[in-house]
């Protein structure tokens, strides 16, 4: 019986092959296995504009105007995503600034681990210095890890850290960066460096220089007052400033103090939250 079954199977295969030869039919290949779905954010994460639509968003890492010089991995849409407590704290800060004729503007919020990995790869490529003239004019690229400008983990990936500034109302639109345009040092006078509708903070955003330290003694007058306005407003709502970066604040207590997420920056990652 086993021999007969084998013979019948062989005959069936042979017949099918003959049919294909006669008709020219083509057997459709099996459909490819579907790609694994993108990870989604925990329900504790929200899009900032679902909590406050008045806060301006200029998400630098979706563009080429950043220290890498190209859009960064994981930033699918120019969208600020944060844990809900951090977003709600920003909303409270915004209400106080609006009453004084100002608005917050965010540059970066939640940052996926794949974006941090992109930064690390870029920092190890010592030949790529296309954005040095603006973002790290006085820093040797080989020193970026040792000097603390680049690290393999970022608090942003935990979801409660935000990079931001203050804009005087009514806000003037910031022009788009043109890749390849002449670069000006990020610590140059405001009227000379790349235009930003932010109040004058003494340096541009992501300036790898000690002048970016929140309390650098060289920052005086209106520039210092602007930094203190930003810091004071956010500290009152539970944020803690990173002393080396006037723009960097983390809401405490963090809902996820030990978790570094990697879902993409996209509205679908927080859909339904």
């Amino acid at each position: 019986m086993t021999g007969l079954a084998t013979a019948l199977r062989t005959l069936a295969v042979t017949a099918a092959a003959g049919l294909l030869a006669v008709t020219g039919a083509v057997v459709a290949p099996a459909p490819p296995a579907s790609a694994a779905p993108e990870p989604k954010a925990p329900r504790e994460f929200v899009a900032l504009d679902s909590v406050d639509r008045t806060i301006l968003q200029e998400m630098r890492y979706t563009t080429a105007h950043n220290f890498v010089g190209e859009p960064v991995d994981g930033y699918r849409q120019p969208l600020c995503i944060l844990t809900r407590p951090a977003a709600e704290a920003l909303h409270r800060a915004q209400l106080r600034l609006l009453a004084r004729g100002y608005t917050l503007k965010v540059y970066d919020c939640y940052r996926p681990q794949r974006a941090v990995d992109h930064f690390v790869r870029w920092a190890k490529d010592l030949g790529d210095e296309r954005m040095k003239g603006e973002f790290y004019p006085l820093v040797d690229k080989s020193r970026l890890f040792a000097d603390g400008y680049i690290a393999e983990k970022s608090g942003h990936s935990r979801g409660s850290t935000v990079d931001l500034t203050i804009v005087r109302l009514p806000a003037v639109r910031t022009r788009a960066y043109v890749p390849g345009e002449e670069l000006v040092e990020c610590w140059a006078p405001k009227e000379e460096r790349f235009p930003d509708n932010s109040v004058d903070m003494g340096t541009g955003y992501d300036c790898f220089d000690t002048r970016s330290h929140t309390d650098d003694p060289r920052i005086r007058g209106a520039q210092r007052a602007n930094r203190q306005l930003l810091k004071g407003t956010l500290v009152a709502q539970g944020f803690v400033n990173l002393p080396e970066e006037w723009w960097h604040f983390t809401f405490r207590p963090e809902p996820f103090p030990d978790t570094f997420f990697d879902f993409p920056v996209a509205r679908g990652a927080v859909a339904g939250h």
Side-chain angles (χ1 to χ4, degrees), residues 83-95:
T83 59
R84 182 174 293 277
E88 291 176 346
L90 279 189
H91 170 64
R92 295 193 299 270
Q94 174 74 342
L95 293 178

Side-chain angles (χ1 to χ4, degrees), residues 13-185:
V13 170
T14 303
L19 180 61
L20 290 176
V22 172
T23 65
V26 177
V27 177
S34 58
E38 286 278 17
K40 291 195 67 174
R43 295 197 62 83
E44 291 85 348
F45 283 79
V46 295
L48 176 61
D49 60 12
S50 71
V51 176
D52 191 310
R53 291 186 175 275
T54 68
I55 296 175
L56 303 180
Q57 299 191 28
E58 186 181 316
M59 306 302 291
R60 287 286 186 88
Y61 298 139
T62 65
T63 76
H65 190 217
N66 58 65
F67 56 85
V68 176
E70 62 187 11
V72 177
D73 291 353
Y75 286 86
R76 304 286 176 77
Q77 293 175 301
L79 179 70
C80 174
I81 295 175
L82 289 168
T83 59
R84 182 174 293 277
E88 291 176 346
L90 279 189
H91 170 64
R92 295 193 299 270
Q94 174 74 342
L95 293 178
R96 285 153 179 76
L97 286 172
L98 289 174
R100 300 181 60 174
Y102 296 96
T103 178
L104 290 170
K105 180 176 77 170
V106 294
Y107 293 115
D108 191 35
C109 302
Y110 158 74
R111 180 184 304 165
Q113 180 61 44
R114 70 190 77 178
V116 180
D117 295 342
H118 191 168
F119 292 168
V120 170
R121 292 195 305 273
W122 165 82
K124 291 178 178 179
D125 181 3
L126 301 184
D128 181 358
E129 295 192 325
R130 71 188 106 162
M131 302 302 286
K132 179 178 176 65
E134 178 175 353
F135 291 96
Y136 54 108
L138 299 180
V139 179
D140 190 299
K141 193 175 181 184
S142 65
R143 296 284 309 169
L144 292 180
F145 288 102
D147 291 350
Y149 292 112
I150 299 293
E152 295 187 353
K153 295 289 183 181
S154 169
H156 282 273
S157 302
R158 301 193 297 261
S160 296
T161 294
V162 59
D163 294 342
L164 73 175
T165 189
I166 292 174
V167 175
R168 183 76 186 182
L169 293 172
V172 177
R173 188 177 182 86
T174 298
R175 75 165 175 84
Y177 167 76
V178 179
E181 70 175 84
E182 183 178 357
L183 301 176
V184 178
E185 297 91 342

Side-chain angles (χ1 to χ4, degrees), residues 131-242:
M131 302 302 286
K132 179 178 176 65
E134 178 175 353
F135 291 96
Y136 54 108
L138 299 180
V139 179
D140 190 299
K141 193 175 181 184
S142 65
R143 296 284 309 169
L144 292 180
F145 288 102
D147 291 350
Y149 292 112
I150 299 293
E152 295 187 353
K153 295 289 183 181
S154 169
H156 282 273
S157 302
R158 301 193 297 261
S160 296
T161 294
V162 59
D163 294 342
L164 73 175
T165 189
I166 292 174
V167 175
R168 183 76 186 182
L169 293 172
V172 177
R173 188 177 182 86
T174 298
R175 75 165 175 84
Y177 167 76
V178 179
E181 70 175 84
E182 183 178 357
L183 301 176
V184 178
E185 297 91 342
C186 53
W187 37 259
K190 182 175 173 61
E191 60 273 12
E192 297 178 16
R193 62 182 184 259
F194 186 85
D196 190 323
N197 59 3
S198 167
V199 299
D200 189 1
M201 294 291 191
T203 77
Y205 169 58
D206 261 354
C207 186
F208 294 3
D209 191 274
T210 55
R211 294 172 181 85
S212 294
H213 293 188
T214 307
D215 293 320
D216 186 276
R218 291 166 291 182
I219 304 301
R220 301 176 181 177
Q223 297 173 342
R224 188 173 191 84
N226 289 334
R227 292 187 183 190
Q228 292 306 311
L229 174 60
L230 177 63
K231 180 179 177 180
T233 302
L234 292 179
V235 167
Q237 302 307 322
F239 286 91
V240 176
N241 174 237
L242 178 67

Side-chain angles (χ1 to χ4, degrees), residues 241-262:
N241 174 237
L242 178 67
E244 291 78 20
E245 299 177 350
W246 59 257
W247 56 80
H248 180 117
F249 291 84
T250 300
F251 180 77
R252 302 279 174 79
E254 294 183 65
F256 299 99
D258 302 308
T259 306
F260 298 86
F261 294 96
D262 192 40

